Structure formats: C-alpha cells, structure tokens
Amino acid sequence: PNKIHYNAVINGFANSRLRAGESNAEHAEAVLKEMLELYENNQYWFKPDRISYSSTITGYANEGRPLDAERVLGMMIEEYKNGDARCKPDTIAYTSVINSWAQSGEQGAAQRATEYLHQMEKLSSEHGEDVKPSKITYGCVINAWANSGEKGSGEKAEAILNRMEQLYEAGDRAVRPDVIAYNMAMKAYSECKDENAVARAEELFRRMDNLHRDGRYSMKPDVLTVNALIKCWINSIDGDVPVQPERVLGLLGNMLSSEETRQRPNDETFDLALRLLLQSGDAEAARRVEAAWTKLKGGRGSISSSSKYGAISPPRPPRKDKNK
C-alpha cells in the first residue's frame, strides 16, 4: 500500500454511516497516526498530507465533535508551520471544522463557527485563495446560527447572508446565495423567537420573491421557506403580530397550484398551518386547511387524526383586554 491507499481508507471511515457504539472518525484518526508512525520510521513517502488531515476532520465533523475536529486542524497547522507545505490548511479543512460546530448543538457553537469564518477571511486576504470561504462555508455558519436558537440568532444569520450578497455584488460569483442559504436564515428567525423575528422573516420572504421576479429564478420561495415563515407566525401568536388566516390560506393555495415539486406543500406545511389557525381561534379556516389536505391525499384520512396538534376544536373565546 501507499499514501493514496491510506488516504482512501481514511476518507472511507470519515464518510461511512455511524454504527452504534463506534466512532468512524476515531478509526480514521488511527489510520492517520499509523501514517505518522511509518513516516517517523523513515518511510517518508507515508507522511500525511492535506487530504489525510482534512478527511479526518470531516469524520469528526460528521459526528458533531468540534473539539476533536479543531484538534486535528491544529495538528495540520503545526505541520505546515514546521515547513510542510503539503499540509497547508485549506477551505475544506476549515469549513469542516465550522460544520462540526454547526452540527454539534453545543452552547456557543454558532459564535465559534463565526470566529472561524472571520479567521478564514483574514487568512484569505493575507495568504491567497487556498483558504477563501466558499458558499458552503458561509452556509455552514448560517446553519450554525439557525441551529442555535439563541437570542439574536436570526439577525446574526441574516448578517452572514447579507455578507454573501455583498461579495456577490462586488464580483465574487462563487458565493452567490441560493435558496438554501435564505431558507437557513428563515429557519434562524423561526427558532429564535426575537421580537422582530416575524418582520425580518417576512422581509426575507419578500426579498426572495423579488429576486426571483428580477431574474434569479432559482430564488423562488419554496416549501421550506413557507414552513419557516409559518413557524415564525406561530411563535408570535401571543405577541403583537396578528394572524391573518386569509394570508395563510392564500399561501397554501399558491403552493397547491404550483407544478414545481419544491413549491408544493408537504405534510409539515399543513400541520403548521393547522396549528397556527387553531391557536388563533379560527376553526373555520382550520377546516379549510384540513379539507385541502384531505383532497391532496385523495380523500385518505384527515389531518386532524394524523396531526400532533389534535382534532379541530371550536374557536377559543377572544382574549380579555388587559387594559380594561
């Protein structure tokens, strides 16, 4: 075997499906350490390179283990500082560490991912394109904020999205935000429950629609966009944002009339719409949602029986004015 074979084994472990009680990433690192031992025993052709380290980092990222991913990146940086140009950290290595934080669910993960992004931008401006953040890099950071649920996470996610738009407008075509990036920012607003979350999510929704109308056809809001928007409305049900049943029904109607699969409503769309309308006390609109769902399913079953929110109930009485 040679280094190519060892790297292939590391990559195989890093991207394999995780088995209960096992860590594929640890298997990958064991192979990496075996390569280092061979090198230290004067078999210089086995010295790990950028691929060896990056694949191991990816393995830890896939398992949501950011500290281990950082540790291996540190090993890679140390080798590069010691004069091995073949171990120079690149976009893939840094992005894998960022993704490991995004997937970890740990407190402070989104801030850590953002710090790595800033580090990449600084390194890129000083040392060239090897470590330049990609569209995937920025997307991972947006996703980190979306997964955090922290106060202000929606605005932090949108700030990264706006950074991508600025770079694109300045001529960097490679980081043009797509519907996935926008949907992750929408998700961030749907999870953070900030006071301005609904207004900001609605503005993002309008921006996507305007971009689509202006020629960026792939930016048309899809089912994930709508689901995130409805979640924002649900989270504001007890706040100052009034629920507009006709708008909910209008969104569903537009989606049902679409011939594009990604614009069609899914079970979660109906489930969320039903929850929103029931919480707002509009049982009649909720029945219309249920009828549309039943029709879509060809008359099989009802959303009330399958929904985790229960059967449709009569409208709740109006809230008493606290000021009276």
Side-chain angles (χ1 to χ4, degrees), residues 120-132:
M120 290 179 71
E121 289 178 329
K122 184 175 184 295
L123 288 170
S124 176
S125 66
E126 294 175 351
H127 302 292
E129 297 284 309
D130 283 354
V131 74
K132 180 178 177 290

Side-chain angles (χ1 to χ4, degrees), residues 209-275:
D209 194 47
N210 289 336
L211 287 170
H212 169 71
R213 295 174 187 275
D214 290 342
R216 282 170 63 175
Y217 299 111
S218 64
M219 291 303 303
K220 186 175 182 179
D222 62 15
V223 61
L224 298 180
T225 321
V226 173
N227 289 354
L229 182 59
I230 297 176
K231 285 181 182 178
C232 284
W233 287 338
I234 289 172
N235 289 335
S236 71
I237 198 78
D238 294 317
D240 299 327
V241 181
V243 176
Q244 299 174 339
E246 291 304 320
R247 186 172 181 195
V248 178
L249 295 171
L251 279 173
L252 283 175
N254 290 337
M255 296 174 77
L256 287 166
S257 65
S258 176
E259 296 181 356
E260 298 181 49
T261 301
R262 70 185 186 93
Q263 264 86 48
R264 299 277 292 175
N266 57 21
D267 289 352
E268 183 183 16
T269 313
F270 285 103
D271 220 28
L272 290 167
L274 179 65
R275 176 183 176 185

Side-chain angles (χ1 to χ4, degrees), residues 40-312:
E40 290 168 359
N41 288 323
N42 299 323
Q43 299 186 55
Y44 302 115
W45 52 91
F46 283 110
K47 190 167 193 259
D49 57 14
R50 180 185 298 179
I51 296 174
S52 317
Y53 287 102
S54 293
S55 296
T56 306
I57 293 169
T58 297
Y60 283 119
N62 290 339
E63 294 180 11
R65 296 169 61 176
L67 294 178
D68 286 307
E70 281 189 349
R71 178 176 53 77
V72 177
L73 177 63
M75 294 167 58
M76 190 177 185
I77 292 172
E78 190 64 27
E79 287 296 322
Y80 175 64
K81 287 181 176 179
N82 288 336
D84 190 346
R86 295 169 299 177
C87 291
K88 183 179 181 181
D90 60 2
T91 298
I92 294 174
Y94 275 95
T95 300
S96 293
V97 172
I98 289 173
N99 187 44
S100 70
W101 280 111
Q103 301 297 330
S104 70
E106 295 187 15
Q107 187 174 5
Q111 183 58 42
R112 191 68 177 136
T114 304
E115 290 169 359
Y116 268 107
L117 174 63
H118 293 161
Q119 185 177 343
M120 290 179 71
E121 289 178 329
K122 184 175 184 295
L123 288 170
S124 176
S125 66
E126 294 175 351
H127 302 292
E129 297 284 309
D130 283 354
V131 74
K132 180 178 177 290
S134 66
K135 180 164 69 174
I136 295 174
T137 312
Y138 287 104
C140 286
V141 179
I142 295 173
N143 192 40
W145 285 112
N147 290 337
S148 74
E150 297 176 15
K151 185 175 179 59
S153 58
E155 292 182 353
K156 296 288 182 61
E158 187 178 354
I160 302 298
L161 181 68
N162 291 339
R163 172 67 174 155
M164 295 177 73
E165 287 286 8
Q166 291 167 1
L167 291 169
Y168 170 65
E169 293 296 331
D172 191 347
R173 313 289 290 184
V175 297
R176 184 176 78 168
D178 54 17
V179 70
I180 297 173
Y182 273 84
N183 281 345
M184 286 189 291
M186 290 283 292
K187 178 187 174 186
Y189 279 121
S190 75
E191 300 289 345
C192 71
K193 299 183 182 180
D194 285 353
E195 291 181 2
N196 67 341
V198 172
R200 296 306 311 154
E202 289 183 342
E203 175 58 32
L204 278 181
F205 189 94
R206 285 191 292 270
R207 193 201 300 185
M208 293 176 71
D209 194 47
N210 289 336
L211 287 170
H212 169 71
R213 295 174 187 275
D214 290 342
R216 282 170 63 175
Y217 299 111
S218 64
M219 291 303 303
K220 186 175 182 179
D222 62 15
V223 61
L224 298 180
T225 321
V226 173
N227 289 354
L229 182 59
I230 297 176
K231 285 181 182 178
C232 284
W233 287 338
I234 289 172
N235 289 335
S236 71
I237 198 78
D238 294 317
D240 299 327
V241 181
V243 176
Q244 299 174 339
E246 291 304 320
R247 186 172 181 195
V248 178
L249 295 171
L251 279 173
L252 283 175
N254 290 337
M255 296 174 77
L256 287 166
S257 65
S258 176
E259 296 181 356
E260 298 181 49
T261 301
R262 70 185 186 93
Q263 264 86 48
R264 299 277 292 175
N266 57 21
D267 289 352
E268 183 183 16
T269 313
F270 285 103
D271 220 28
L272 290 167
L274 179 65
R275 176 183 176 185
L276 175 68
L277 295 170
L278 287 176
Q279 286 186 199
S280 70
D282 197 326
E284 178 55 35
R287 289 189 182 93
R288 291 169 65 183
V289 169
E290 181 175 41
W293 187 89
T294 303
K295 182 178 179 181
L296 184 67
K297 295 296 182 179
R300 298 188 301 275
S302 68
I303 194 171
S304 297
S305 60
S306 66
S307 172
K308 58 187 174 184
Y309 306 114
I312 294 177

